[in-house]
Amino acid sequence: MRLQTLISAALLTIAMAGCASAGTPWVELAGTRYTVEVAADDAARAQGLMFRDSMPDDAGMLFIHDREAPLAYWMKNTRIALDILYFDAQRRLVSQQRDVPPCSAGNACPSYPSRAPALYVLELNAGQAAKLGLEEGEELVLSPGLPHGR
């Protein structure tokens, strides 16, 4: 049992070192780079950007889903206006919801659906999509270490 514990600890240390060397995750969109927090499991996707009072202009949150499907996001307990950008498995912009207002109405908050199946969702501060002049088909570039399609 002790050997198994040591092996587990060693593997965890190696994995953590690999993550540290990968650096802070980022995405690039229309030639602009954003550092991102990654939400790749149900709990992180459910929490999203709830209860945040601000986010730097060069930052965002990247949601990675388990499979490509029609998606809908809402702004429950979100305090900042956002652009919600939906990307397919090839990382092409398939839908965008711009300038989505904050919502404090709990479960009564409206949802903002994608117009096509998506695998990735990028949330940026409201106004970023207009500033970049985003159009459907724009490619999302992911930093090394992030899943590049499933």
Side-chain angles (χ1 to χ4, degrees), residues 31-49:
T32 301
R33 187 170 286 192
Y34 297 91
T35 58
V36 291
E37 294 178 54
V38 178
D41 61 39
D42 289 340
R45 287 189 293 261
Q47 179 65 35
L49 291 168

Side-chain angles (χ1 to χ4, degrees), residues 4-16:
Q4 192 174 22
T5 302
L6 289 173
I7 291 170
S8 294
L11 290 174
L12 180 61
T13 301
I14 291 168
M16 290 175 67

